[in-house]
Amino acid sequence: MKHSQFLLWAVLPAMLLVQGTLLAQSVPPGVAGPGPGTPMPGGPVQGPPRGPPPGPPPLPQSPDLPVFGAGGGRVLFGVAAEKDVMRNLMPPLPVDAPQASTNPRDFEGSWVHNQPMIARIEWDAYGNDVPFTASGRAIRDRRVKSSYVDKRPNSNASGECRPPGQPWLFGLYYPFQIYQRATGIDVLFAMDHAVWPIRLDNSHDTSGQRQYLGDSIGHWDGDTLVVETSNFKRSLWVDVDGAPASKDARLEFRIRKINYPDPQLEIVTTVYDPKNYTAPWSFVRTFAWRPDKLVFEEYNCESQASQGGAASYGLIPDPDDQQ
């Protein structure tokens, strides 16, 4: 799919697809669950205790929800429609398809987001409301109003053919590939041709150079890869409706394999950003093993950038983009 087609489908206000929150899942009988204190798919994640985690509220079934609202999340096309999209993009694999490695530390291969996507994250992995600061909520609500009320959506890095940050890249149905070596891991995204390098057991870069995907170092905590990312070049959108993360934010990703029942990656993302949130908060997402996605379809955003850029699609500059 060419980027110009995708932009109309994924960025303009009536067709945004986004970062989602994990649907509650349970461990099937006979399958060992995670160790004590580790995050469960759709359940609590490690972090400050805030009372018994009730689990996320049920996904709303109607796409015609109020623009503003607390609790839950906004599903653009409804859960059934999102599941239809996933079925079309990810048909059943043939019985002779390559299998994922049984090594829990081997993530190599191609993966795709396998959950209905929520256009606006309103609760964290504990089921609590996202802890916005007043200024952080004002940025998100301004972006929502610009898209859904004024019909003049703001542009972010993706609209300029630049890497928009890990939350956005993981949030859509585009595949990504993981390559591993002893000293590092590289994640190659189909979208925006972005590459996320992760150095293992190293220290952060002290040169002061900022990058679109930040500077990332990782280490193993058992069979979970823990990645700390900071030093972003510009602010990020945590979801496509515009929940902000400043360029001074720190993101932590806890990545592990789960098999409930098929090979999946689980990524717990925690946002540390006192400019926009009163406390760290986390969300959980899963990704299906898709060996049929090893060859990416063309993603042509360079022509868009050279032919008027985001403005040619009606997107306007974001006043908080460089915060």
Side-chain angles (χ1 to χ4, degrees), residues 216-296:
S216 296
I217 56 175
H219 67 274
W220 291 100
D221 179 7
D223 292 329
T224 298
L225 177 66
V226 181
V227 182
E228 295 184 3
T229 303
S230 58
N231 213 30
F232 294 97
K233 181 174 289 190
R234 64 195 288 176
S235 62
L236 312 177
W237 289 31
V238 178
D239 58 28
V240 178
D241 269 3
S246 72
K247 63 183 180 181
D248 295 320
R250 178 168 65 91
L251 302 184
E252 179 188 86
F253 305 90
R254 297 184 64 88
I255 308 171
R256 66 173 182 167
K257 275 184 174 178
I258 59 174
N259 294 282
Y260 304 146
D262 300 315
Q264 299 180 64
L265 282 185
E266 176 193 76
I267 301 181
V268 181
T269 301
T270 302
V271 180
Y272 297 84
D273 186 12
K275 289 184 178 180
N276 292 302
Y277 305 99
T278 60
W281 62 284
S282 304
F283 54 93
V284 189
R285 304 183 55 223
T286 60
F287 304 84
W289 164 255
R290 296 300 305 195
D292 56 331
K293 304 294 184 182
L294 282 173
V295 177
F296 290 161

Side-chain angles (χ1 to χ4, degrees), residues 123-172:
W123 66 83
D124 67 8
Y126 292 95
N128 297 308
D129 289 348
V130 174
F132 287 104
T133 62
S135 59
R137 181 176 291 280
I139 292 172
R140 196 282 305 271
D141 288 353
R142 176 189 54 73
R143 289 169 174 169
V144 167
K145 180 177 181 295
S146 181
S147 291
Y148 296 96
V149 178
D150 301 338
K151 309 298 183 184
R152 300 187 67 205
N154 293 119
S155 178
N156 67 0
S158 180
E160 303 163 7
C161 195
R162 303 178 192 275
Q166 292 87 343
W168 182 289
L169 290 166
F170 283 132
L172 302 181

Side-chain angles (χ1 to χ4, degrees), residues 18-234:
V18 353
Q19 166 110 0
T21 331
L22 184 64
L23 293 171
Q25 299 180 16
S26 59
V27 181
V31 177
T38 56
M40 286 284 292
V45 300
Q46 292 174 332
R50 288 185 280 172
L59 283 172
Q61 298 293 318
S62 171
D64 301 316
L65 298 177
V67 171
F68 303 103
R74 184 173 189 274
V75 180
L76 276 177
F77 306 114
V79 175
E82 292 289 346
K83 289 183 176 180
D84 283 342
V85 171
M86 289 190 292
R87 280 191 288 268
N88 290 332
L89 292 175
M90 293 178 281
L93 293 171
V95 294
D96 59 347
Q99 300 296 307
S101 169
T102 57
N103 180 350
R105 290 193 178 191
D106 184 353
F107 300 160
E108 283 210 337
S110 188
W111 306 86
V112 180
H113 180 212
N114 64 344
Q115 303 159 291
M117 290 187 289
I118 301 171
R120 189 179 314 146
I121 303 175
E122 295 281 11
W123 66 83
D124 67 8
Y126 292 95
N128 297 308
D129 289 348
V130 174
F132 287 104
T133 62
S135 59
R137 181 176 291 280
I139 292 172
R140 196 282 305 271
D141 288 353
R142 176 189 54 73
R143 289 169 174 169
V144 167
K145 180 177 181 295
S146 181
S147 291
Y148 296 96
V149 178
D150 301 338
K151 309 298 183 184
R152 300 187 67 205
N154 293 119
S155 178
N156 67 0
S158 180
E160 303 163 7
C161 195
R162 303 178 192 275
Q166 292 87 343
W168 182 289
L169 290 166
F170 283 132
L172 302 181
Y173 293 126
Y174 282 93
F176 60 90
Q177 297 169 6
I178 296 179
Y179 299 91
Q180 295 182 228
R181 58 190 186 281
T183 58
I185 294 174
D186 293 319
V187 183
L188 174 63
F189 296 92
M191 185 178 182
D192 293 304
H193 316 300
V195 178
W196 180 25
I198 302 167
R199 303 188 308 281
L200 293 181
D201 299 317
N202 211 320
S203 58
H204 277 294
D205 179 24
T206 59
S207 69
Q209 180 181 5
R210 291 178 175 265
Q211 302 181 60
Y212 285 105
L213 295 184
D215 179 61
S216 296
I217 56 175
H219 67 274
W220 291 100
D221 179 7
D223 292 329
T224 298
L225 177 66
V226 181
V227 182
E228 295 184 3
T229 303
S230 58
N231 213 30
F232 294 97
K233 181 174 289 190
R234 64 195 288 176

